[in-house]
């Protein structure tokens, strides 16, 4: 390779066969071309066939692939640093040796960097085999994003394109003593120093693979190792960014992600001394960095758990985790225009946490409500020609609740995709709902941990599919919660309506697990059937018979019916 390549791809390798082969093939098949590409792979003392596989690729592609072998260092930091010493490209790009790239990834990212004069380019990443990758940053292409007002703090892996001039100017390297998270100090400082950070979101550049045996290093580190690394990253960040909203924007990620993951479902089963050490470590970081801004920006579940750990309330923390795991979302206590999550420790003078820790602050409400909303019973009530759908639904709110705050409606149209992940949505301010139809009654659940809405909704004689949804007014906002029915018995289909013109009503569960009421006329009027048949006929080439039939069809056309397809032909 005579001229310096555009990009050096750095691959730290340790026992990643057979994933390594796909990784290397994805690099050599890049559309940017091998004359613009350099691959620097460092074998960190692999004990499987990874080293031999690297040597095989180097022998086949000596002008593109450089291989370095070294004793095992215990993590990806040392081999990555070694590769930086020999990289010659204008840009450097890091890839995990068990991951792979989209064919046009490097070409698109280098083009983006050159066009925008970017020091860092983030290409869209997705997870495979169940690997989670945060997606908020990839909503659209961006020429210039900030570390402080975007989702970038939740995407701090080093799997990005970095201008090598920036890397060498600030001597950016990976801390080799950190078993996990060693890429974060490198990435954070690069983003702090960068003149411009760009995002390629319209193409999947990077496929992050979760190995079948979950042996990725991220999944192997123990609790205290992860705590120590999180603390070092947070302290490092505090040394780069002065106290204030910008630092909060970055460190919120570590409270929400790294620290919160230490007090998840497995925490109650840990040794008591280990629990104490974890809480003490979180308390030290909370004393230093858990500002009101970070607290209020977190969802209530994680916020309460961090606060209980900070207070050293280990029993209450274990109870909060276990109760939610076994019984689902904790109820909201509604008090006028405020609501609080009723987790352990709420207003307990021995612990002394403020109400603000437990207060509902919008961001986590839809998911919390969806998780705790449960269909208890559903059926039909038929009187004469009328049919009423009945449902009893458990809703996770207590306190100031009544039919003025909670109602069930049959809603037309699908929920937006934005509601799929949380399972519910907050309606926009100013959204006007139709009047409540039928009768609503709200009473406390027998266990006192929720409210039960009893609804009776009369059905119209219409052909329609409508979702069964609960609408809840909470803290000045209205939330729309689809009622789930997967695994529950649905009432049998029912016929109703006047003699000679019956309708059918069915309660169905759609592919998202939500209950839908489907009503339809059992025998549509003949003229409608004739009109539809003529519509199909009109799609065929014109004939004299068709012209005659068009004139006849006008006599059969039902009021409000659409013109049949093809009727615009002259």
């Amino acid at each position: 390779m005579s001229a310096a390549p555009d990009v050096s791809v750095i691959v730290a390798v340790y026992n990643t066969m057979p994933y390594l082969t796909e990784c290397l093939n994805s690099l050599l098949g890049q559309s940017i071309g091998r004359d613009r590409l350099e691959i620097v792979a460092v074998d960190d003392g692999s004990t499987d066939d990874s080293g031999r596989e690297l040597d095989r690729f180097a022998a086949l592609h000596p002008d593109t692939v450089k291989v370095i072998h070294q004793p095992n260092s215990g993590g990806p930091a040392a081999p990555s640093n070694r590769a930086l010493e020999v990289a010659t490209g204008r840009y450097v790009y890091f890839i995990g040796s068990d991951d792979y790239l989209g064919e046009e990834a490097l070409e698109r990212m280098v083009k983006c960097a050159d066009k925008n004069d970017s020091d860092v380019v983030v290409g869209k990443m997705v997870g495979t085999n169940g690997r989670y990758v945060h997606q908020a940053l990839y909503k659209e292409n961006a020429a210039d994003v900030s570390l402080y007002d975007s989702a970038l703090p939740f995407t701090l892996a080093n799997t990005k394109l970095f201008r090598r001039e920036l890397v060498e100017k600030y001597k950016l390297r990976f801390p080799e003593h950190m078993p996990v998270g060693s890429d974060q100090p490198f990435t954070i400082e690069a983003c702090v120093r960068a003149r411009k950070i760009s995002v390629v979101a319209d193409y999947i550049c990077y496929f992050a693979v979760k190995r079948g045996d979950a042996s990725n290093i991220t999944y192997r580190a123990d609790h205290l190792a992860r705590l120590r690394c999180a603390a070092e990253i947070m302290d490092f960040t505090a040394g780069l960014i002065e106290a204030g909203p910008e630092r909060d924007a970055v460190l919120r990620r570590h409270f929400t992600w790294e620290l919160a993951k230490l007090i998840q479902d497995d925490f109650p089963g840990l040794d008591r001394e280990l629990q104490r050490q974890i809480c003490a470590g979180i308390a030290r970081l909370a004393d230093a960095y858990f500002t009101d801004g970070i607290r209020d920006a977190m969802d209530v579940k994680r916020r309460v758990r961090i606060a209980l750990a900070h207070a050293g309330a280990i029993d209450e923390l274990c109870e909060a985790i276990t109760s939610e795991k076994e019984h689902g979302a904790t109820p909201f206590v509604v008090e006028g225009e405020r609501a609080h999550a009723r987790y352990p420790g709420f207003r307990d003078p021995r612990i002394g946490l403020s109400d603000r820790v437990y207060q509902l602050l919008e961001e986590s409400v839809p998911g919390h409500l969806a998780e705790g909303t449960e269909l208890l019973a559903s059926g039909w009530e038929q009187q004469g020609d009328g049919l009423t759908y009945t449902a009893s639904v458990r809703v996770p709110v207590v306190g100031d609740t009544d039919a003025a705050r909670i109602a069930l409606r049959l809603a037309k149209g699908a929920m937006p995709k934005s509601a799929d992940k949380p399972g519910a949505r907050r309606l926009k301010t100013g959204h006007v709902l139709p009047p409540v139809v039928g009768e609503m009654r709200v009473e406390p659940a027998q266990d006192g941990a929720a409210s039960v809405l009893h609804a009776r909704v009369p059905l119209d004689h219409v052909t329609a599919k409508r979702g069964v949804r609960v609408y809840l007014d909470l803290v000045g906002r209205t939330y729309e919660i689809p009622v789930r029915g997967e695994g529950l018995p649905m009432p049998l289909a029912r016929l109703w309506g006047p003699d000679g013109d019956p309708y059918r009503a069915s309660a169905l569960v759609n592919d998202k697990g939500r209950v839908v009421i489907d009503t339809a006329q059992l025998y549509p009027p003949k003229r409608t059937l004739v009109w539809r048949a003529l519509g199909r006929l009109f799609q065929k080439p014109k004939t004299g018979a068709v012209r005659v039939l068009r004139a006849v069809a006008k006599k059969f056309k039902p009021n409000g019916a659409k013109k049949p397809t093809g009727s615009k032909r002259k």
Side-chain angles (χ1 to χ4, degrees):
M1 190 179 297
S2 55
D6 280 331
V7 58
S8 296
V9 179
I10 292 175
V11 193
V13 180
Y14 178 72
N15 287 0
T16 51
M17 288 294 289
Y19 305 96
L20 175 61
T21 303
E22 184 174 13
C23 173
L24 296 173
N25 281 330
S26 79
L27 298 180
L28 290 165
Q30 287 293 297
S31 62
I32 198 171
R34 295 176 191 172
D35 58 328
R36 300 174 60 191
L37 171 66
E38 172 184 71
I39 300 170
V40 183
V42 180
D43 173 28
D44 196 44
S46 296
T47 58
D48 66 356
D49 289 333
S50 296
R52 286 185 288 276
E53 184 74 342
L54 291 176
D55 290 339
R56 184 175 75 86
F57 271 84
L60 291 171
H61 310 282
D63 292 335
T64 305
V65 181
K66 297 179 181 179
V67 175
I68 300 171
H69 296 276
Q70 66 178 31
N72 181 253
S73 66
S80 297
N81 287 340
R82 182 76 183 278
L84 282 173
E85 294 172 2
V86 300
T88 62
R90 293 191 297 125
Y91 300 98
V92 292
Y93 187 84
F94 298 90
I95 182 174
S97 58
D98 38 17
D99 302 330
Y100 59 95
L101 299 185
E103 184 178 354
E104 301 174 19
L106 295 178
E107 182 179 15
R108 287 174 178 254
M109 287 187 286
V110 168
K111 182 178 179 180
C112 175
D114 288 342
K115 177 183 178 181
N116 297 303
D117 197 26
S118 312
D119 285 333
V120 179
V121 176
V122 189
K124 182 175 182 177
M125 295 179 63
V126 297
T128 69
N129 199 29
R131 179 98 174 252
Y132 174 76
V133 174
H134 200 273
Q135 293 295 304
L137 187 65
Y138 307 123
K139 293 180 180 179
E140 59 184 4
N141 290 346
D144 190 6
V145 300
S146 168
L147 180 64
Y148 312 117
D149 61 6
S150 72
L152 184 55
F154 287 86
T155 312
L156 292 179
N158 65 339
T159 47
K160 299 170 175 58
L161 190 78
F162 299 92
R163 189 178 296 274
R164 194 163 67 87
E165 181 182 355
L166 173 81
V167 172
E168 296 308 321
K169 177 180 179 181
Y170 293 102
K171 304 299 181 185
L172 302 183
R173 292 295 188 269
F174 300 90
E176 298 182 11
H177 61 281
M178 292 178 61
V180 292
S182 60
D183 52 349
Q184 285 198 37
F186 181 101
T187 304
I188 291 170
E189 183 167 7
C191 291
V192 169
R193 307 290 189 191
R195 296 166 299 168
K196 189 178 292 186
I197 305 168
S198 300
V199 177
V200 174
D202 61 351
Y203 180 80
I204 300 177
C205 296
Y206 194 103
F207 294 84
V209 177
K210 182 178 181 180
R211 301 181 205 169
D213 58 359
S215 61
N216 311 60
I217 191 169
T218 303
Y219 300 97
R220 288 187 279 118
D222 63 36
H223 290 76
L224 292 182
R226 286 186 280 141
L227 176 61
R228 286 192 298 268
C229 291
E232 183 163 340
I233 293 166
M234 296 171 75
D235 292 339
F236 176 83
T237 302
L240 280 175
I241 309 169
E242 65 181 23
E246 291 185 345
R247 182 197 286 180
D248 286 355
V250 179
L251 294 186
R252 180 167 69 92
R253 173 242 163 84
H254 299 91
F255 282 104
T256 302
W257 193 248
E258 279 83 358
L259 297 186
K261 288 178 74 172
L262 296 173
I263 43 180
Q264 293 191 119
D265 291 350
D266 63 340
F267 181 82
L270 300 178
D271 176 82
R272 190 67 168 191
E273 176 58 22
L274 179 55
Q275 292 176 339
R276 190 196 64 76
Q277 291 181 55
I278 291 171
C279 289
I282 292 175
R284 200 277 291 179
L285 294 169
D287 283 336
Y289 308 124
F290 197 50
T291 64
D292 290 349
I294 292 178
R295 179 200 64 196
D296 289 352
M298 292 178 66
D299 63 278
V300 67
K301 179 174 78 172
R302 291 184 179 92
R303 186 195 320 142
V304 168
R305 291 186 184 185
I306 292 290
L308 289 172
H310 186 195
I314 297 176
D315 290 338
E316 288 75 13
L317 175 58
C318 290
E319 183 185 350
I321 296 169
T322 302
S323 175
E324 193 152 22
K325 181 180 179 181
E326 294 178 353
H327 305 295
T330 191
F332 290 140
V333 181
V334 182
E335 300 174 320
E337 293 305 312
R338 291 188 179 182
H340 301 88
R342 200 172 69 181
Y343 285 106
F346 178 52
R347 292 179 179 166
D348 186 334
R350 298 171 303 161
I351 299 174
L353 296 181
S354 71
D355 280 6
R356 187 71 172 181
V357 168
Y358 294 84
Q359 190 172 338
L360 185 59
L361 298 173
E362 293 187 6
E363 69 292 321
S364 61
V365 178
H368 197 101
L369 292 175
E371 182 183 352
T373 297
E374 178 185 1
L375 178 64
L376 301 178
S378 62
W380 313 111
E381 290 182 359
Q382 189 166 1
Q383 292 183 340
D385 292 341
L387 185 67
T388 296
Y389 174 69
T390 66
S392 295
V393 183
R394 180 185 174 97
V395 184
V397 293
V398 296
D400 297 339
T401 60
D402 53 35
R405 289 183 181 267
I406 312 175
L408 184 145
R409 291 177 172 87
L410 302 183
K412 297 180 180 178
M415 292 286 285
K417 289 184 177 180
S418 59
D420 286 349
K421 184 175 180 180
R425 65 168 174 163
R426 187 187 74 194
L427 298 180
K428 295 181 179 179
T429 302
H431 184 97
V432 178
L433 289 168
V436 174
V437 175
E439 301 173 12
M440 306 291 148
R441 179 171 59 86
V442 179
E443 65 179 8
Q446 289 186 353
D447 60 6
S451 297
V452 177
L453 167 66
H454 301 285
R456 300 179 69 258
V457 182
L459 301 183
D460 297 327
H461 293 100
V462 295
T463 296
K465 291 184 178 180
R466 291 171 290 179
V468 179
R469 298 176 193 163
V470 170
Y471 294 82
L472 172 64
D473 291 335
L474 193 63
V475 196
R477 300 285 191 174
T478 300
Y479 295 89
E480 182 178 28
I481 314 160
V483 175
R484 302 190 309 273
E486 64 271 29
L488 300 176
M490 293 291 110
L492 296 176
R494 186 70 64 92
L495 293 181
W496 96 103
D499 292 340
D501 191 16
Y503 278 72
R504 182 200 73 249
S506 303
L508 312 173
V509 179
N510 68 13
D511 58 358
K512 296 185 184 299
R514 299 165 179 170
V515 180
V516 174
I517 301 301
D518 182 5
T519 57
Q521 198 170 16
L522 195 60
Y523 306 116
K526 291 182 179 180
R527 63 178 184 174
T528 300
L529 296 175
V530 171
W531 183 247
R532 290 174 180 171
L534 290 174
R536 289 192 292 271
L537 180 61
F538 289 159
Q539 296 176 16
K540 299 179 180 180
K542 287 190 298 183
T543 65
V546 169
R547 294 189 183 95
V548 173
L549 286 171
R550 279 181 174 166
V552 174
K554 292 181 180 179
K555 297 181 180 181
F556 288 94
K557 180 178 179 181
N559 293 335
K562 295 181 180 178
K563 292 182 180 180
T565 303
S567 62
K568 290 185 178 179
R569 289 178 177 169
K570 302 297 182 184

